[in-house]
Amino acid sequence: MRMILIGPPGAGKGTQAKQLKENLNIPHISTGDMLRAAVAAESELGKQAKDFMERGALVPDELVIGAAIARIQQNDCKSGFMLDGFPRTLPQAEALDKALKAASLSLDVVLVIDVPDDLIVSRIIGRRQDPVTGEIYHLEFNPPPAEVVDRLVHRPDDTEEACRKRLSKYHAETAPVIPFYEENGLVKRVDGVGEPIKVTKRIRRATNTDN
Ligand code: AMP
């Protein structure tokens, strides 16, 4: 299955992708994770992306498109992939379309996770990640176990100011990607409010992957 996850920052895309990939057996490809790894490794891509990311701005298309397309051309994506955080702009969607067409491939589903903006801000500000396990917690909604608290990381772009910028980018640049896919009848929308396990069930139902 070739699937795209779209939703505002903090919609639960990463959390849901982790659940879904266990059954679907396809890699979860997050361009945000790829870029954070590039920043940590101080690669050329990382050096160019760092500033944009910390400000809550989008990394320029020409940097992200090459990295994302190269990733889905790797062997582990032969039977499918779950793209999280890409495409985030219309030029990215068009580039993905072109690359898939050139390989005679197509998408199966574009899953949109909807969460209202006011809830997003409180989810993002309390979000912390365990750098050892990759597990994502929320100080209030999903408190971390005491033994990992000291090593948790607060993403530099998870401040209220950067979050609001990322939300406005989402509405201005990413939301217009949805009608692009609606034309092909690929879009399934799911309510992302509520316990993660309930959202997973809605997604499985919407994507016919609940058996
Ligand atoms: P995420 O983990 O998906 O919230 O992404 C974190 C940050 O990485 C974003 O705020 C952007 O700065 C950058 N980023 C991730 N994916 C993309 C993309 N497809 N296009 C542009 N910037 C991206």
Side-chain angles (χ1 to χ4, degrees):
M1 171 181 271
R2 287 179 210 90
M3 177 174 186
I4 293 179
L5 290 169
I6 297 182
K13 300 185 296 293
T15 304
Q16 294 303 328
K18 266 196 179 168
Q19 295 300 320
L20 295 171
K21 85 170 184 186
E22 296 197 350
N23 285 48
L24 298 176
N25 225 358
I26 48 177
H28 165 216
I29 299 168
S30 151
T31 43
D33 286 349
M34 284 170 60
L35 291 166
R36 277 184 288 279
V39 171
E42 297 182 5
S43 69
E44 204 42 53
L45 172 65
K47 281 184 203 153
Q48 290 175 310
K50 186 171 191 252
D51 212 46
F52 295 100
M53 295 175 75
E54 287 186 356
R55 279 189 283 120
L58 289 182
V59 174
D61 286 337
E62 59 272 23
L63 294 179
V64 182
I65 288 172
I69 303 282
R71 179 64 189 86
I72 62 167
Q73 286 169 341
Q74 287 176 14
N75 265 343
D76 62 337
C77 295
K78 282 222 157 75
S79 57
F81 52 75
M82 195 184 301
L83 270 175
D84 159 5
F86 183 92
R88 236 173 172 108
T89 62
L90 268 177
Q92 293 181 14
E94 284 158 3
L96 175 65
D97 214 42
K98 201 169 146 201
L100 289 173
K101 279 202 181 113
S104 303
L105 299 173
S106 55
L107 294 169
D108 296 296
V109 63
V110 175
L111 184 79
V112 180
I113 305 181
D114 288 312
V115 177
D117 286 6
D118 48 356
L119 181 56
I120 289 294
V121 176
S122 56
R123 277 191 184 181
I124 290 267
I125 293 171
R127 183 160 75 170
R128 299 289 184 279
Q129 186 169 28
D130 182 342
V132 177
T133 62
E135 201 64 41
I136 295 165
Y137 299 98
H138 188 283
L139 296 179
E140 193 185 333
F141 307 143
N142 176 25
E147 62 273 21
V148 306
V149 168
D150 288 344
R151 67 180 189 218
L152 295 182
V153 177
H154 189 200
R155 276 171 48 173
D157 57 348
D158 273 356
T159 61
E160 176 158 2
E161 194 193 353
C163 168
R164 292 205 184 272
K165 263 195 218 145
R166 287 158 68 204
L167 262 176
S168 76
K169 284 278 166 209
Y170 174 77
H171 292 298
E173 301 202 37
T174 307
V177 169
I178 300 170
F180 175 86
Y181 290 119
E182 260 162 356
E183 279 174 24
N184 305 331
L186 290 173
V187 175
K188 306 272 181 209
R189 294 195 94 109
V190 165
D191 176 8
V193 179
E195 283 172 49
I197 187 149
K198 290 197 177 135
V199 179
T200 308
K201 281 188 186 148
R202 287 176 208 145
I203 293 175
R204 289 200 199 286
R205 233 176 288 134
T207 56
N208 293 322
T209 54
D210 51 355
N211 41 25

